[in-house]
Amino acid sequence: MKLPPHITVNNGHLHIGGLDCVALAEKYGTPLYVTSEDRVCEQFERYKKALLSRYPKVQVLFVAKANGNLALMRALGNLGAGADVFSSGELHLALEAGMRPERLLFNGSSKTPGDLSFAVEKGVKVSVDSLDELHQLDAAARAAGKVALIAFRVNPALEVPTHPKIATGLKTSKFGIPHEEIPAAYREALACKNIRPVGIHCHIGSQILDVEPFARAAEVMVRIAKELTGMGVKLEFIDIGGGLGIPYHHDTDPAPTAEDYAAKVIPLFRVGLEACGITPELWVEPGRSLVADSTVLLTRVNSTKTAHKRFANVDAGFNLLIRPAMYDAYHEVIVVNKADAPLTTEYTVTGPICETGDILAPDRRLPELAAGDIIAVLDTGAYGYAMSSQYNSRPRCPEVLIRGKDVALMRRGETIGDITGTMQRPPWQQ
Ligand SMILES: *Cc1c(COP(=O)(O)O)cnc(C)c1O
């Protein structure tokens, strides 16, 4: 199987960032998320360089929802990353990670009054999703004696080749304002005393393995930019979202790189903007393509069973990685302590959750397994821990971060007290 450079096989054991995954599992226990900080930084720099080599003003915003660990966000913030945040919680995290407020965009289709006033208080730009929200934000900014800087989220009505649950720019999607209504929305924003429209924003979906749809989105955005510039809107940034996919099937998926993306999108963007005589910043919002392949989820085989088929019952399930159950997502799996053994036997790798759908990896050829073997689930750095739960009253596992030869916890494992601690006894049960 093709592996990225930070994942290697050495003496029969799988390594990440040069560290033996068997030793990591022994030291920290399983299940365990292990992330390479160096890999995340390398991906970020690659992204930034690919864009900057073709356009002078670029801002890369990490999408906080993909992986909300502060250590990771701090590493990215130190490299100059901003963030796209979708909740007050994510805004807290981005600020605590040291990201600069002017590099943050508060996005979201259903913001509370509290969200809006928090964004205004912190001076963070807001991606406004409706006219109703526009007027609420105007009022919040007036109450604070400030001017809120905004973009509207454009719905470009584009079909994209991905799972329907992660296509976000379809005509029928809940996100954004239909592209044909956008000029009217900006006219309304220009009339608001405490609002200044300074950008436009779109995001067409996630796990897109073809760069063509991004080009279509860029064309829509450039067309809108031209119209808005004609109306007197001074555009300081155009945010074309995230969504570049990664090759979850290592040997067969196409793997468009940040370079492929930039080479496709930027020329259209440049030409279009030169025609309207503006050079706004180009903002992009990658999540998955920055962090997914940085991380493995290590999980131990509790037992094997041959029933209708062969099952390997492991200690991580959709409580820790919901993507297979939720999106039918594919993740490569490797037996960490038998990493160069022949793949002789077909197993379905199943989690410990009391649900038929708790399958991490169906019908995979693996070495002969026994209780105690450790399996790595690859490419789990995006939408992995971030979407985890305590379902079946299972405390979440720890996360460790490695950099160079160093390794440290970046989140401790939860205890049963973390589950019961927020519960309260009603007075009639005292
Ligand atoms: C989820 C999301 C992204 C990131 O998508 P990826 O596929 O992880 O790159 C970017 N922008 C917005 C608005 C999103 O909701």
Side-chain angles (χ1 to χ4, degrees):
M1 183 193 308
K2 264 193 252 167
L3 293 174
H6 63 296
I7 308 277
T8 51
V9 176
N10 213 328
N11 293 327
H13 285 188
L14 192 75
H15 288 59
I16 175 167
L19 298 181
D20 187 339
C21 289
V22 175
L24 289 168
E26 292 306 327
K27 178 165 181 195
Y28 294 98
T30 60
L32 180 71
Y33 271 105
V34 185
T35 297
S36 162
E37 179 176 329
D38 295 326
R39 179 63 175 175
V40 172
C41 294
E42 181 189 318
Q43 296 284 50
F44 176 82
E45 296 290 13
R46 178 172 303 166
Y47 228 97
K48 189 143 189 186
K49 190 163 149 236
L51 296 162
L52 269 177
S53 68
R54 295 175 174 87
Y55 189 77
K57 298 198 282 184
V58 171
Q59 192 64 246
V60 180
L61 282 71
F62 172 57
V63 163
K65 74 172 192 268
N67 190 321
N69 194 295
L70 273 174
L72 213 75
M73 292 179 69
R74 205 176 290 116
L76 287 167
N78 287 343
L79 297 176
D84 174 286
V85 300
F86 210 86
S87 68
S88 289
E90 289 181 358
L91 177 51
H92 271 286
L93 289 178
L95 293 169
E96 192 167 333
M99 289 174 168
R100 306 230 304 257
E102 66 272 21
R103 293 182 181 160
L104 305 180
L105 184 66
F106 199 132
N107 177 28
S109 51
S110 183
K111 304 184 190 80
T112 65
D115 292 335
L116 296 175
S117 42
F118 188 38
V120 166
E121 176 200 328
K122 296 297 176 190
V124 168
K125 295 181 188 72
V126 179
S127 170
V128 174
D129 202 86
S130 65
L131 293 180
D132 188 357
E133 186 185 313
L134 173 74
H135 293 293
Q136 292 186 36
L137 181 64
D138 187 33
R142 187 157 46 250
K146 295 192 176 183
V147 171
L149 306 183
I150 68 144
F152 280 108
R153 169 92 177 245
V154 178
N155 181 340
L158 287 174
E159 301 279 336
V160 291
T162 190
H163 191 285
K165 282 187 188 162
I166 50 177
T168 56
L170 305 178
K171 192 155 55 176
T172 52
S173 149
K174 74 169 180 173
F175 299 106
I177 294 178
H179 61 101
E180 64 277 9
E181 294 169 24
I182 283 289
Y186 279 85
R187 214 164 287 125
E188 197 144 337
L190 287 170
C192 292
K193 283 210 167 52
N194 295 75
I195 295 284
R196 187 150 61 86
V198 293
I200 35 178
H201 178 211
C202 80
H203 170 66
I204 56 175
S206 197
Q207 185 51 16
I208 300 168
L209 285 171
D210 173 6
V211 293
E212 209 48 51
F214 297 108
R216 300 291 81 77
E219 282 170 352
V220 172
M221 295 299 269
V222 165
R223 185 160 45 71
I224 292 171
K226 188 167 176 205
E227 192 167 352
L228 297 180
T229 303
M231 283 168 45
V233 178
K234 302 245 176 307
L235 289 175
E236 295 170 15
F237 72 92
I238 299 180
D239 184 336
I240 56 173
L244 189 61
I246 69 140
Y248 284 107
H249 293 84
H250 282 203
D251 294 329
T252 54
D253 276 344
T257 60
E259 287 82 11
D260 299 333
Y261 171 85
K264 184 81 200 179
V265 168
I266 300 248
L268 290 165
F269 191 76
R270 276 195 91 115
V271 170
L273 295 180
E274 271 161 21
C276 25
I278 56 171
T279 44
E281 289 184 6
L282 170 63
W283 287 17
V284 292
E285 306 172 332
R288 191 189 310 272
S289 52
L290 289 184
V291 297
D293 80 358
S294 69
T295 301
V296 296
L297 171 60
L298 302 181
T299 180
R300 193 178 289 271
V301 177
N302 283 326
S303 57
T304 61
K305 169 168 85 173
T306 304
H308 158 65
K309 41 172 144 173
R310 271 176 193 265
F311 293 100
N313 303 307
V314 299
D315 61 6
F318 77 57
N319 54 322
L320 294 175
L321 181 68
I322 204 172
R323 298 190 66 263
M326 181 139 158
Y327 310 119
D328 296 318
Y330 180 96
H331 285 266
E332 300 285 5
V333 293
I334 295 178
V335 182
V336 161
N337 54 313
K338 298 175 177 171
D340 54 11
L343 310 179
T344 54
T345 315
E346 193 166 282
Y347 287 97
T348 286
V349 181
T350 59
I353 297 299
C354 184
E355 297 265 352
T356 310
D358 186 30
I359 293 173
L360 285 179
D363 308 324
R364 300 300 175 83
R365 286 204 84 77
L366 298 173
E368 186 88 30
L369 290 174
D373 284 343
I374 296 162
I375 292 178
V377 187
L378 304 193
D379 306 312
T380 51
Y383 312 107
Y385 193 100
M387 295 179 83
S388 64
S389 74
Q390 295 173 331
Y391 187 36
N392 269 175
S393 293
R394 290 180 177 275
R396 291 182 184 83
C397 70
E399 294 182 287
V400 299
L401 188 64
I402 58 186
R403 194 186 72 160
K405 298 239 165 312
D406 293 331
V407 48
L409 275 178
M410 63 172 172
R411 175 149 28 203
R412 68 163 170 82
E414 291 177 342
T415 63
I416 192 69
D418 291 314
I419 294 178
T420 56
T422 51
M423 299 187 198
Q424 303 208 347
R425 200 184 265 255
W428 60 88
Q429 292 181 359
Q430 302 286 350

